[in-house]
Amino acid sequence: MTQQPKHSPQFFLTAASPCPYLPGEYERKVFTHLVGDKAPELNDLLTQGGFRRSQNIAYRPACETCRACVSVRILAQEFEPTRNMKRILKRNADLIGTANTAEPSSEQYSLFRTYLDARHSRGGMSDMTVLDYAMMIEDTHVSTEVIEYRRRGPDSFVTGKGEGELMAVALTDRMADGLSMVYSFYNPQLHDRSLGTFMILDHIRRARSAGLPHVYLGYWVNGSQKMEYKVRFKPQEHLGPTGWDRVD
């Protein structure tokens, strides 16, 4: 009998369930566990192959009749912001993002709940408790940071940290070839700041500074209005049947 290698990942397939993005469609996912000392390498490999991370699970769509979900990554070193994006950067020039270890806080959870209640009250994460949130942040075997965005203070140029109200948070994986934005949320009352766009622009800046070529945004779902923002950051690449294809 052939035995599976000790460190070879096992993949599983979920049952079909209603698609949260396209009405009338059903989704299935293939997934594996990201655990042990090989988790960072495996996460890099799988992310480059179109997987996403949620806690210690790597997954990707395996739908039977639909291929609408497309993995998207920004070419950070070639990216040029549009006029509107430049205005967003200027509008948020008073903010600074501080990268911390992957540890949850009550302040983060309060902002997370405010964001969910305002933007995703009927979504799959709407009933997450503080313990669920802590697991989302802490349950990682890869290089993960929590980036907190606050206003710049008088000592920020020395400490690298902001002060005052927590305005936005990004849970981010650092990989060999880029940054993967696992999840982000922000104060929904500050809609004039376009904080979602600002955090992506900030991650592009961080990737460029670190010499990393990519910022991974997850899935763009063709036909889903709430996913349209992901294709505004060009040039980028979409993962297709023959590999990553450039989109300008």
Side-chain angles (χ1 to χ4, degrees):
M1 182 176 65
T2 302
Q3 292 185 344
Q4 188 176 24
K6 182 178 179 181
H7 296 294
S8 178
Q10 291 183 299
F11 291 86
F12 307 90
L13 187 64
T14 66
S17 61
C19 176
Y21 302 110
L22 300 177
E25 295 288 347
Y26 285 81
E27 69 169 0
R28 299 187 77 178
K29 296 175 181 176
V30 61
F31 69 93
T32 190
H33 293 88
L34 294 169
V35 294
D37 57 359
K38 297 295 184 181
E41 298 173 21
L42 182 59
N43 185 53
D44 281 13
L45 181 64
L46 292 178
T47 301
Q48 292 161 8
F51 280 71
R52 292 290 287 167
R53 186 182 73 82
S54 177
Q55 297 177 219
N56 66 357
I57 298 290
Y59 68 91
R60 68 169 296 171
C63 307
E64 296 177 359
T65 61
C66 180
R67 295 293 182 270
C69 291
V70 178
S71 293
V72 173
R73 66 186 186 187
I74 302 166
L75 297 174
Q77 302 299 325
E78 301 180 50
F79 173 79
E80 291 293 338
T82 64
R83 288 183 180 180
N84 182 58
M85 291 174 183
K86 289 179 181 178
R87 287 193 289 268
I88 291 172
L89 286 170
K90 184 176 181 180
R91 200 176 304 147
N92 291 284
D94 61 331
L95 300 187
I96 185 171
T98 304
N100 304 301
T101 56
E103 296 180 0
S105 70
S106 57
E107 186 182 24
Q108 292 170 17
Y109 180 70
S110 178
L111 181 61
F112 176 70
R113 280 259 45 107
T114 300
Y115 173 78
L116 287 183
D117 292 344
R119 294 298 183 95
H120 303 286
S121 60
R122 297 183 180 180
M125 304 173 72
S126 60
D127 59 350
M128 285 181 64
T129 66
V130 65
L131 294 179
D132 295 328
Y133 175 78
M135 288 295 291
M136 182 178 80
I137 300 297
E138 292 179 329
D139 195 2
T140 175
H141 291 253
V142 304
S143 178
T144 304
E145 298 174 334
V146 174
I147 304 175
E148 296 185 340
Y149 293 87
R150 306 176 191 268
R151 283 189 173 89
R152 295 179 184 271
D155 297 326
S156 291
F157 71 98
V158 176
T159 65
K161 297 181 179 180
E163 296 182 354
E165 174 192 1
L166 180 63
M167 296 187 176
V169 174
L171 179 64
T172 303
D173 289 346
R174 179 178 288 267
M175 307 190 310
D177 74 327
L179 302 178
S180 177
M181 298 186 70
V182 178
Y183 194 78
S184 59
F185 53 94
Y186 51 87
N187 186 336
Q189 297 180 347
L190 303 176
H191 53 83
D192 290 343
R193 283 184 175 267
S194 300
L195 289 169
T197 296
F198 171 69
M199 282 190 283
I200 295 175
L201 294 171
D202 182 64
H203 276 68
I204 295 171
R205 179 193 63 79
R206 289 170 183 270
R208 291 174 71 128
S209 297
L212 298 172
H214 304 121
V215 173
Y216 288 84
L217 294 185
Y219 301 117
W220 166 60
V221 183
N222 192 7
S224 173
Q225 184 176 0
K226 60 184 177 182
M227 289 290 187
E228 283 302 308
Y229 72 92
K230 294 187 179 184
V231 294
R232 293 191 290 113
F233 300 86
K234 295 177 179 176
Q236 60 183 227
E237 292 180 325
H238 294 180
L239 184 59
T242 59
W244 291 94
D245 299 315
R246 185 184 177 101
V247 178
D248 289 295

